[in-house]
Amino acid sequence: MNTQTKLAIGLVGIVLLALGIGLSLSYKQPDPMPPWVHKVDWQNKPGDAARIEELLWTGISPYRTEYETVNISAGSGSSGLRLRVIATAKDSEYPDIYDFVYEGDKLLLTGYLLEAIPQEYRNEAIGLALGNQEIASSVIGSGTPSVKRVLPSTAEKFYAPKTLLSVTWEGTSALIDPDERKVANIWKAGAQDSQVRGGSK
Amino acid sequence: MNKYASGIAIIALILGLFAVGGVSAQVVGVAEEKVVSMPAMPAAEQPGNFTKLEILPRYGNFRLQPGESKEMTITIKNKEKKVVSLKPNIVIPPFSEYIMDKEWITVTPASADIPSEGSQKFTLKASVPKDASAGFYNAQVAFTDEEIPSPYPQPVPNYVHSFSLSMDVWTPPIIQITTPYISDQLEAGKEYDYEIKLKNTGDKEVAIAPKISQENYMYGPYGTAGSAFPDSAITITAPKSVPAGTTESVKIHVKVPADSKGMYNGMIDLGIEDPSIQRFGGSGGVNLNFNVWKQPTEPFVKSFTLKQPSPVTIEVSSSYFGDLYKLAMLASGMGTGNAKEPSFEIYLEGGTGKAELKLEKTVIKGGVSMGGQIPPWEVDSTGIYQDIGTQHIETYTANIPAGEWKLKVLPRDTDKFEYTITIGE
């Protein structure tokens, strides 16, 4: 092997080494936080918080907005670790609240109250509910309703497995399909019993 | 030379490690619309003649705009005691209004052999072409050609091992309506003005033709209640179109007749020529809900007798819902001119004239619910604190002589109140 060949091989080696160093410098640790979450705060942070967060990002999601802060508080329960997640969005005065139990590397959703709905979608849902003759005549003088998101796992029992909005006055509620812009189901609390109508899509 | 070769090999190894790290660093984003995991069909429930497979999930629901695509994973578990070969086949039902092309859906791998008790993940990717029409589309992925037998001819075979995908292809409305409903409390004999803003986000002028809809729900064939006032009490002023990239106002003027009482429920049909709005059978509507009431001019009177001079405490409180109504009105930016906090004019009058009432305290009382009587689709919120409203309570005191007394309360901006008269310390 002559000197020129040795020099050429050496040069290739140096280039590859520089490339390796460059890549190592530009390499960043993976950021497990999804783009729709801006800040995470923990209270009583457990040892496996990273794994819980990883599971959490597939278990929660904002409704047509982004979460400004996700506050996770952990507390021990009779079975597993109880987690209360309160997520706030800039364009809603109400938060999304999720209750989970973390056990055996699984996150189980045990309850939720999701009201972080931007005002325009909240108003739209109320408008759709009031467009229903039966609802409009039932809620005279009942003031402004609450608007809550209903997750597909719950919604499938009353309409279809998709995200719906529940518009509720005292004793009257309309389940709204925001995609099809229609009232999917109606509930009325009666003196004798509660009445649920509507049905599957 | 061996030294050079070793050096290059080490560098290549380092680069290889980075490549592996790069793959592991990928984070899969979560879309807002989630695929719902349905319980897998238990193998034991499948008829004996069919191959026993668990498919998870069985259904998927995508919401995509033209030009968008989305992926999901379907996992199939082989519950047989032998290897099962799968070859996903896209089946498009021919009877729906919107029919997608098979090319919109791809499933990878194109085929797989699953060992006994083994499982295989398939990736389904839906890609909506840019020129697709907005609408609801359906597709099935049949993983085997096994069919549920039917004594009647079927337009589409009823596959045993299938996954169903429903897809809502949507386009955002070109015209954005800032105020989809107007809900307000009006006084008889007064006039009110409202504004609905329409923003054209497109690149073409859009025609509008607002009018009061004939679907005035409170009377007509379905309703029995009379409307507080006729449609002619409402005047609409609007331009004929909304130019591209601009915002125009539709002005609503309500002249409430002096003799009106009760509710007015109606709708303004904005007559917007926007296909994404017309898709749902309308042309943009704004619901009107007005509660007409008369501000009382005479106070409520409650008489009581004091046998001896005594301090008296008067407590007056507004209702939960009166406050909620106003707070929500303020939050939504509507009718703020008409939305006022409840207030009371309170007098204590006796034979010697009016007693001097001193405002001792104002209490803000809240109500919190953790469930109670709620719609069944909100049952998952049971146990979570929910603020159901606040109440304002004012407490007045006076030292008054014995005799006949009258408590007079003139309420403003509330249709309900409570009072308490406490005699003595």
Side-chain angles (χ1 to χ4, degrees):
Chain A
M1 185 181 291
N2 60 29
T3 312
Q4 280 184 337
T5 311
K6 286 178 182 174
L7 277 172
I9 291 169
L11 197 63
V12 169
I14 289 164
V15 168
L16 286 171
L17 188 64
L19 192 65
I21 292 165
L23 276 171
S24 70
L25 289 174
S26 64
Y27 178 77
K28 286 179 184 172
Q29 283 297 312
D31 184 359
M33 208 160 75
W36 40 265
V37 174
H38 298 173
K39 192 182 168 202
V40 178
D41 283 334
W42 271 93
Q43 284 173 339
N44 304 325
K45 194 172 184 177
D48 40 7
R51 175 60 183 153
I52 291 172
E53 278 187 39
E54 196 183 327
L55 292 169
L56 197 62
W57 306 141
T58 61
I60 69 170
S61 63
Y63 182 76
R64 300 181 185 184
T65 182
E66 294 185 350
Y67 285 147
E68 212 52 41
T69 306
V70 174
N71 194 305
I72 312 165
S73 37
S76 57
S78 55
S79 60
L81 188 70
R82 282 187 296 104
L83 297 167
R84 165 66 58 93
V85 179
I86 300 177
T88 55
K90 240 184 193 172
D91 38 14
S92 172
E93 60 180 305
Y94 305 100
D96 277 351
I97 303 173
Y98 303 86
D99 280 343
F100 289 98
V101 169
Y102 176 65
E103 190 178 29
D105 199 40
K106 280 185 181 166
L107 207 53
L108 179 70
L109 181 67
T110 56
Y112 63 83
L113 172 63
L114 310 179
E115 295 185 279
I117 299 162
Q119 196 64 48
E120 59 183 299
Y121 300 114
R122 178 177 288 273
N123 284 348
E124 192 178 32
I126 298 171
L128 289 167
L130 289 171
N132 180 288
Q133 172 215 344
E134 195 178 343
I135 293 286
S137 57
S138 300
V139 299
I140 293 170
S142 299
T144 298
S146 64
V147 182
K148 302 181 185 104
R149 179 158 49 119
V150 179
L151 293 179
S153 53
T154 311
E156 69 168 327
K157 295 169 199 161
F158 305 100
Y159 178 59
K162 60 189 297 192
T163 298
L164 303 176
L165 298 175
S166 174
V167 181
T168 304
W169 289 262
E170 181 78 8
T172 304
S173 182
L175 192 60
I176 303 294
D177 181 339
D179 303 334
E180 291 193 48
R181 300 175 57 79
K182 72 173 194 181
V183 175
N185 211 326
I186 292 172
W187 170 83
K188 282 185 180 182
Q192 299 297 317
D193 56 353
S194 297
Q195 188 184 2
V196 177
R197 279 192 314 289
S200 60
K201 193 177 160 185
Chain B
M1 177 60 210
N2 284 343
K3 286 177 187 172
Y4 293 123
S6 306
I8 291 167
I10 289 166
I11 290 161
L13 187 65
I14 293 167
L15 289 172
L17 285 171
F18 280 120
V20 171
V23 170
S24 66
Q26 284 180 1
V27 176
V28 180
V30 179
E32 172 210 310
E33 288 290 325
K34 286 216 180 72
V35 171
V36 180
S37 293
M38 302 291 288
M41 183 187 284
E45 283 179 27
Q46 296 177 3
N49 291 336
F50 300 132
T51 307
K52 294 180 179 64
L53 297 174
E54 283 183 2
I55 302 170
L56 190 73
R58 279 239 166 210
Y59 305 97
N61 194 342
F62 284 0
R63 188 167 187 262
L64 297 171
Q65 290 190 48
E68 288 184 339
S69 63
K70 193 171 173 180
E71 286 185 3
M72 65 168 291
T73 303
I74 304 157
T75 305
I76 301 188
K77 194 182 266 187
N78 179 7
K79 304 299 285 184
E80 293 284 354
K81 291 189 166 38
K82 60 180 182 184
V83 174
V84 173
S85 296
L86 303 180
K87 193 174 179 187
N89 175 29
I90 314 297
V91 183
I92 308 295
F95 39 73
S96 62
E97 188 181 350
Y98 296 94
I99 297 172
M100 71 170 87
D101 287 336
K102 277 190 178 185
E103 288 69 33
W104 293 19
I105 310 285
T106 55
V107 180
T108 48
S111 63
D113 293 333
I114 314 179
S116 173
E117 293 300 327
S119 64
Q120 171 72 44
K121 286 184 191 297
F122 288 90
T123 302
L124 181 148
K125 184 177 181 183
S127 305
V128 182
K130 283 185 179 172
D131 59 350
S133 302
F136 291 95
Y137 296 82
N138 291 293
Q140 257 196 351
V141 181
F143 289 93
T144 67
D145 57 3
E146 291 177 42
E147 298 175 25
I148 296 171
S150 168
Y152 310 104
Q154 299 284 325
V156 177
N158 197 355
Y159 290 106
V160 178
H161 306 111
S162 63
F163 166 85
S164 297
L165 176 70
S166 57
M167 193 153 59
D168 175 13
V169 176
W170 69 288
T171 50
I174 299 164
I175 295 286
Q176 290 178 355
I177 306 166
T178 55
T179 314
Y181 75 99
I182 297 171
S183 181
D184 205 354
Q185 187 162 285
L186 311 181
E187 275 189 61
K190 291 198 174 177
E191 297 186 29
Y192 298 86
D193 288 296
Y194 304 93
E195 192 177 40
I196 302 162
K197 285 187 177 165
L198 303 180
K199 185 180 179 186
N200 184 344
T201 59
D203 52 9
K204 286 180 194 161
E205 187 173 38
V206 175
I208 60 168
K211 60 177 183 188
I212 292 285
S213 170
Q214 295 308 305
E215 294 178 47
N216 194 335
Y217 300 120
M218 293 307 289
Y219 53 85
Y222 305 110
T224 51
S227 186
F229 51 80
D231 292 347
S232 57
I234 300 172
T235 314
I236 303 170
T237 313
K240 289 186 174 170
S241 64
V242 184
T246 64
T247 301
E248 292 284 353
S249 294
V250 175
K251 290 181 175 154
I252 318 292
H253 181 76
V254 183
K255 189 175 180 183
V256 189
D259 60 348
S260 62
K261 255 184 195 178
M263 289 293 293
Y264 174 90
N265 276 32
M267 196 174 85
I268 295 173
D269 180 350
L270 292 167
I272 300 169
E273 288 189 2
D274 182 345
S276 59
I277 293 174
Q278 288 168 332
R279 174 189 167 196
F280 300 101
S283 51
V286 173
N287 283 291
L288 303 175
N289 296 90
F290 296 123
N291 180 19
V292 183
W293 72 303
K294 283 187 177 173
Q295 170 67 45
T297 50
E298 292 300 317
F300 164 81
V301 179
K302 178 68 184 173
S303 301
F304 63 98
T305 307
L306 214 60
K307 289 179 182 169
Q308 56 190 22
S310 172
V312 171
T313 306
I314 311 288
E315 193 178 271
V316 181
S317 56
S318 65
S319 71
Y320 279 139
F321 293 107
D323 274 10
L324 265 187
Y325 171 73
K326 284 164 181 64
L327 288 172
M329 292 275 286
L330 290 164
S332 62
M334 289 188 302
T336 49
N338 309 328
K340 294 172 188 167
E341 286 294 321
S343 62
F344 306 95
E345 282 178 34
I346 300 170
Y347 307 100
L348 201 52
E349 289 180 4
T352 53
K354 282 184 183 174
E356 191 182 337
L357 286 169
K358 184 184 171 194
L359 177 63
E360 288 290 343
K361 62 179 177 181
T362 301
V363 175
I364 299 167
K365 187 179 168 185
V368 178
S369 165
M370 286 182 287
Q373 204 172 24
I374 55 172
W377 41 82
E378 288 184 11
V379 76
D380 288 303
S381 67
T382 308
I384 299 174
Y385 297 122
Q386 297 175 53
D387 193 346
I388 56 168
T390 51
Q391 194 178 19
H392 290 261
I393 305 165
E394 291 178 356
T395 305
Y396 298 84
T397 56
N399 283 306
I400 54 176
E404 294 293 322
W405 287 91
K406 283 179 180 172
L407 170 67
K408 294 186 175 181
V409 182
L410 183 62
R412 292 203 184 276
D413 300 305
T414 184
D415 56 358
K416 217 180 279 178
F417 70 90
E418 289 179 4
Y419 68 89
T420 312
I421 303 166
T422 307
I423 300 165
E425 292 285 354

